[in-house]
Amino acid sequence: MAGSEAASDQSLRGSVEVGRDRNGVELILLRNPKGAAVEVSCHGGQVLSWKTERGEELLFMSIKAVYKPPPHAVGGEIPIYFPLFGTQETLGKHGFAMSRLWTIDRDPPPLPESGMTHVDLLLNPCEVDLKIWPHNFKFHLRVALADDGNLILVSRLLNVCSKPFTLTFAYHAYLAVSDIG
């Protein structure tokens, strides 16, 4: 990642670096003290890579995947389906979260401190989202990498409008499998 900067001081626990991908979208690299790593894109709030301390990739990425800038979704890895898991005429297939730009949440709502290397992302609806799904929300996502190399995703959704709404969401992990025989 070119132009990396420290996102927070977690040197005793691991590191967080922020850079940009070839489309100019923020890309976050988490490393734990043992060398395991997770790469997260603000394009879709998507985990793009999860590697063990030996450098073994744990997520599958199709050779057919194309990294186009938003509003196109990235294929493979761990996309976030929201506000719908499934298909609906106005929301398309699996909603809009995976094709939107998320931001790094520098003031996230509190979670119990885990000591893990992490980044917090935030998705707010844009005007287009509110036209196809008229519910105002805040979607907070924490992506954390534990000292043992485990990946933890924590989603928190806040309804910021006055009326209740129904939603579904999913993490659709594409795991790399070395032998299926």
Side-chain angles (χ1 to χ4, degrees), residues 4 6 16 19 57 90 109 133:
S4 295
V16 179
E57 180 59 61
T90 58
W133 196 66

Side-chain angles (χ1 to χ4, degrees), residues 65-89:
V66 178
Y67 287 97
K68 292 182 180 178
H72 304 284
V74 177
E77 297 104 358
I78 307 179
I80 298 172
Y81 297 159
F82 170 82
L84 172 74
F85 179 65
T87 303
Q88 184 185 70
E89 189 174 321

Side-chain angles (χ1 to χ4, degrees), residues 114-141:
S114 64
M116 290 183 267
T117 305
H118 68 273
V119 65
D120 290 287
L121 300 180
L122 174 64
L123 177 66
N124 286 306
C126 66
E127 201 172 300
V128 172
D129 299 338
L130 292 171
K131 284 182 183 176
I132 60 174
W133 196 66
H135 307 289
N136 202 352
F137 65 89
K138 290 185 182 289
F139 189 136
H140 297 271
L141 173 67

Side-chain angles (χ1 to χ4, degrees), residues 53-173:
E53 63 273 3
R54 296 177 308 283
E56 176 187 5
E57 180 59 61
L58 299 173
L59 298 178
F60 171 76
M61 178 55 157
S62 171
I63 59 172
K64 296 179 183 178
V66 178
Y67 287 97
K68 292 182 180 178
H72 304 284
V74 177
E77 297 104 358
I78 307 179
I80 298 172
Y81 297 159
F82 170 82
L84 172 74
F85 179 65
T87 303
Q88 184 185 70
E89 189 174 321
T90 58
L91 292 174
K93 188 173 183 179
H94 304 313
F96 49 75
M98 64 184 156
S99 62
R100 296 295 186 259
L101 281 176
W102 294 55
T103 58
I104 296 175
D105 192 350
R106 306 223 185 259
D107 188 28
L111 273 175
E113 186 52 48
S114 64
M116 290 183 267
T117 305
H118 68 273
V119 65
D120 290 287
L121 300 180
L122 174 64
L123 177 66
N124 286 306
C126 66
E127 201 172 300
V128 172
D129 299 338
L130 292 171
K131 284 182 183 176
I132 60 174
W133 196 66
H135 307 289
N136 202 352
F137 65 89
K138 290 185 182 289
F139 189 136
H140 297 271
L141 173 67
R142 174 166 286 179
V143 180
L145 181 60
D147 286 347
D148 62 4
N150 283 332
L151 173 64
I152 295 101
L153 302 174
V154 178
S155 288
R156 294 166 290 163
L157 291 152
L158 176 65
N159 179 353
V160 295
C161 63
S162 60
K163 58 184 178 180
F165 56 79
T166 301
L167 64 96
T168 57
F169 84 95
Y171 305 126
H172 191 177

